Amino acid sequence: MSQAPVPNPPADPEIPPHRYTAAVAGRIEQSWQDRWAAEGTFAAPNPVGDLSEGFAERAQARPKLFVNDMFPYPSGEGLHVGHPLGYIGTDVYSRYMRMLGHNVLHTMGFDAFGLPAEQFAVQTGQHPRVTTEQNIVAIRRQLRRLGLDHDIRRSVSTMDPGYYKWTQWIFKQIFCSFYDEAADAARPVEALVSELDAGTREPRPETNPYGMPWSELSAQQRNSVVDAHRLAYVSQAPVNWCPGLGTVLSNEEVTADGRSERGNFPVFRRPLKQWKMRITAYAERLLADLDALEWPESIKLMQRNWIGRSIGATISFTSASSTGRGPSIEVFTTRPDTLFGATYLVLAPEHALVEELTAEEWPDGIAESWRSHAESPAAAVAAYQKSSSRRSELERQADQRVKSGVFLGRYATNPATGEEIPIFIADYVLTGYGTGAIMAVPGQDERDWEFAEAYDLSIVRTVAPPDGFEGKAFTGEGPAINSASDRLDLNGMGVSDAKAAMISWLVEEGHGQARTTYRLHDWLFSRQRYWGEPFPIVYPVDGEDVDRPIAVPDNALPVLLPDVEDYSPRTFPDDDVTSEPEAPLARATDWLTVEMDLGDGLRTYRRETNTMPNWAGSCWYELRYLDPHNDSAFCDPEIEKYWMGPREDGDAGGVDLYVGGAEHAVLHLLYARFWHKVLFDLGHVSSSEPFRRLVNQGMLQAPAYTDARGMYVDASAVASRGGGFFYDDAAVRQEFGKIGKSLKNMITPDDMFADYGADTFRLYEMFTGPLDQSRPWDPKAVIGMLRLLQRLWRLVIDEQTGEVRVGEQPADAASLPVLHRVVDGVRAGMESLRFNIAIARITELVNHATQAYAARPVPRSMAEPLVLLIAPLAPHIAEELWSRLGHAESLARTDFPVADPRHLVDEMVEIAVQVNGKLRGSVGVLAGADASAMEMTARQDPNVRAHLGDAEVRRVISVPGKLVNFVLG
RNA sequence: GCCCCCGUAGCCCAAUGGCAGAGGCAGGCCCCUUAAAAGGGCUCCAGUGUGGGUUCGAGUCCCACCGGGGGCACCA
């Protein structure tokens, strides 16, 4: 497609007929996009399977590279100029790497399930699938117009049954697995059952409440023990219930102030029966494997904080009851060394032992404040439990630090001191962390100190604070004090020695053991929404195993999402704590019950009516790009190994470059790692991590304008005059903010295509700063990149005639160092994803060539490398010029220019001469000059001489090619 | 409160510990134009947030503080 020179119908007769304008750019760009699509330029062959055509010739001998963006949610508003930042970044990098000889796969898909589509459907009465499909079409068009080098054969959409079939299949894999601590890996549940049957394994204690060995359990009891081992399981536990959204949410979806991340509705903790994923089994590996990943440190840190490992011990306290011994209470502490200072125990209000530990009546002689103005401990406990469950997280937040609690009327024995200490419940102890119970050590813990002050509890320091310490609790390092009994003496030890000594004593005496806990909780996986993946789960409606969750067989996948009359989730007033979740799928009455033969004859089953959370589809999509049409596996193992497998021993494997926003630090990125590790354990993938290298693109902010009333005005209608900004002749104030409707500063890629063309837009996005940095988007600055392309165009094409104007003569000697320095700099910018410096280098070369060859043709030996240098950044104009320079093939796989080292060093260099570190002169020396030659030359500079005078030169620092510094004595 | 990142010209940003400026926008001047600008050329503009320290030499390394952004927050 060596197009006839584009006829340029000049709207303005004064513009040269063949100038590179937005209109010309638009025609060139669309014709190249057509050609790339027709020729399959960016099709990356797989080693085997339906996409393997061309592998031998195009890929086999080359290194591979898999580049991936976080795929977009196809919202009805389309893309604004902020979205493509990362997409363009990966595009430039992948085009560059392709020119370096890699078999590059760059992909894009759609995260199609989600709440907005459902809400839009409710408003318009259109099926969410219909509106989502329309949005996908619109966004596909925008992405194509950007000229991205995606292998479009591999586009995926999470809402397609052919896709979510495999989401459901992976769910089944997780459901049908348990975590084998000994192997430190997930294994199939069948293996668990056969080991239990063979007697080579006992159930994990917490899974077997029956107090009998496996061999003596009934069939139903065995089922419940097995189900309690599964990595996906149903549990009745306090969860985040959001009445305003009508659904439960995962911890990751709740903000620090107890509201939903989406919609900002209050969230309440309520015990509900819900699906969870045992991500906590992977806590240690999710933590440890972060080290080897090439991820931003900030994201690694956020994941480490979220996983929140604490190393400490569990300690058992024996309680006393009116009849003698009561139940023992297990607490978790990171400071076992302070046990001698534990003067009371606190349980979370929801703790399972609270009822059993509540005394009949108040013991004699206790302070009124401990009675909570209640007649009996049971009444006080009931009132307190009620009030704390009613409070939203937000309210708990608001009275943070005001400690309250209730005495249970019972005491426990401190195993170190033998003393009786009172047992309280208080909501500053959280059910979900550790054991849900603590030993309170006011001397070394600020929270415990506050509570102790409020309830007049005794305080014993067990770590000596430094002299002059005037604070309350002392949490720092110091020697142990008050920590000795006739059986154990910690006094004088530092904190870590004391911890170790205490733990070994506890273990010896049977009072406790070392233990590590995590802040990470199991992932709440069910949602009461319509627009998501149905679970591949059914429940028998009768029989002995009634209500037991059972996975449907693989041949029944996908479990299709049924149509319903009403897609809307049942929502409630924001603060309706007592409301109950209600899944929209429960309304699909025909779908709800199903007759199946799952091995014991035809029976009736009820389907699971919850759907999966929005994150499910994005937990594994990078794998589906690799083998998108495979109907017998989510991905052929050989193909996975080729694109994502480890490169050498110790390498985790994964996507070679993954780019997306930092807002997914602990949501998508943690969930996806978890799923990937399960698939790895079960032998389905060879990589142990999904994303080897991660880069967060920055956020773009655009100018927004407020009028005198403080209202936002349409930013596109604001004019700037004489340093001020005006809207309808009224002065307005400029600020920068998130692009969108609310600030009325929406700028779309379509505006940019129309005004400048895609190449200028791409250049501008990449030019304003490093990829990972947030920066303002200044619509007025885009013109600079168009000017650059116009100058480039003019170097190759005569604006009057449209003829190619390059010459065949060699380049000037003075041009070669410039060219090669620029090549070197552009490569450096491409490698480091700092495309802004690559563009600056290219601009230098364009400016140099424009000046040096103002009156004569630019040599082909300069023009061609220049075109190739800019090709990853501005691919359309580069292809067009390359074609006009006489090349029939696309430049997509042409070798990227290489800098010749001989031209990187000048013969003569200017070096700085300093005296005592101050610049005193500048002299020219031969580039290869050694230290003494540089010094000799430097001493001849008159100004340097004057400064040296007669003083003694104590030392001379010579940096070759840079400077000489005389240090005087 | 704790943790992380960032402060260079009017603005966006460059500068392996070695002469603070590569590139762009805006401003000014000139050329081309009847005129204009989304053409061409030239040009003004900071001593690197503040205060210490290390070093022959600090934008760069270390410490403290100030300002901006982000994360976590009763996690025992």
Side-chain angles (χ1 to χ4, degrees), chain A residues 380-401:
Chain A
V381 166
Y384 190 74
Q385 283 177 329
K386 195 173 173 193
S387 79
S388 58
S389 73
R390 278 280 179 83
R391 296 161 75 202
S392 68
E393 293 289 329
L394 188 61
E395 290 164 321
R396 275 168 90 140
Q397 186 80 15
D399 358 300
Q400 201 186 102
R401 309 242 165 252

Side-chain angles (χ1 to χ4, degrees), chain A residues 64-65 294 644-649 651-653 656 692:
Chain A
K64 65 86 190 180
L65 187 85
E294 293 174 53
M644 289 180 70
R647 286 179 174 147
E648 66 269 326
D649 277 356
D651 179 34
D656 295 294
R692 181 201 315 269

Side-chain angles (χ1 to χ4, degrees), chain A residues 241-247 528 568-572 580-584 587:
Chain A
W241 165 236
C242 181
L245 288 174
T247 184
Q528 294 74 44
S568 52
R570 173 86 192 277
T571 60
F572 302 90
E580 290 281 341
E582 189 184 306
R587 300 170 203 147

Side-chain angles (χ1 to χ4, degrees), chain A residues 8 10 12-21 794 798-800:
Chain A
N8 185 13
D12 183 337
E14 295 303 322
I15 292 181
H18 296 277
R19 171 160 293 174
Y20 181 81
T21 60
R794 212 157 24 230
D798 187 297
E799 286 193 327
Q800 295 302 329

Side-chain angles (χ1 to χ4, degrees), chain A residues 173 186 634 637 640 676-686:
Chain A
Q173 293 291 310
F634 69 91
E640 185 275 336
H676 201 91
K677 285 183 182 303
V678 177
L679 291 172
F680 173 75
D681 286 355
L682 298 177
H684 299 303
V685 295
S686 66

Side-chain angles (χ1 to χ4, degrees), chain A residues 136-254:
Chain A
I136 287 175
V137 168
I139 293 176
R140 277 221 172 94
R141 186 189 53 74
Q142 286 182 308
L143 294 176
R144 185 182 202 270
R145 189 63 189 80
L146 271 167
L148 303 177
D149 67 349
H150 299 141
D151 185 343
I152 46 174
R153 303 170 304 169
R154 298 168 182 258
S155 182
V156 301
S157 168
T158 54
M159 70 178 182
D160 289 342
Y163 182 91
Y164 71 69
K165 168 182 175 177
W166 296 106
T167 309
Q168 292 172 337
W169 182 87
I170 296 170
F171 175 87
K172 276 191 62 184
Q173 293 291 310
I174 298 170
F175 176 71
C176 296
S177 303
F178 76 108
Y179 204 82
D180 183 340
E181 304 287 339
D184 203 15
R187 295 177 60 211
V189 160
E190 294 85 61
L192 170 74
V193 173
S194 54
E195 288 172 21
L196 289 169
D197 285 344
T200 54
R201 173 187 288 277
E202 278 302 310
R204 292 170 58 98
E206 71 274 16
T207 65
N208 182 4
Y210 307 109
M212 287 183 287
W214 171 259
S215 55
E216 291 169 29
L217 296 176
S218 71
Q220 290 105 295
Q221 287 172 329
R222 288 184 179 190
N223 283 345
S224 105
V225 167
V226 169
D227 289 349
H229 278 84
R230 294 178 187 272
L231 292 184
Y233 61 97
V234 179
S235 81
Q236 168 85 27
V239 296
N240 304 302
W241 165 236
C242 181
L245 288 174
T247 184
V248 296
L249 297 170
S250 73
N251 289 339
E252 289 79 7
E253 292 169 306
V254 179

Side-chain angles (χ1 to χ4, degrees), chain A residues 744-821:
Chain A
K744 291 191 182 169
N745 63 349
M746 189 82 170
I747 315 167
T748 68
D750 306 77
D751 300 334
M752 291 296 121
F753 301 149
D755 293 349
Y756 301 99
D759 280 334
T760 296
F761 174 58
R762 291 169 56 110
L763 278 174
Y764 179 70
E765 292 248 332
M766 293 300 102
F767 180 67
T768 45
L771 188 60
D772 56 0
Q773 193 165 311
S774 293
R775 46 232 141 99
W777 166 279
D778 182 359
K780 290 190 285 298
V782 181
I783 189 65
M785 291 297 109
L786 180 63
R787 286 183 192 140
L788 170 65
L789 292 182
Q790 285 177 333
R791 288 203 293 278
L792 168 68
W793 180 264
R794 212 157 24 230
L795 287 173
V796 181
I797 304 293
D798 187 297
E799 286 193 327
Q800 295 302 329
T801 66
E803 294 297 308
V804 172
R805 55 168 290 246
V806 300
E808 303 300 330
Q809 85 285 8
D812 295 356
S815 293
L816 290 175
V818 179
L819 173 64
H820 289 271
R821 256 202 321 275

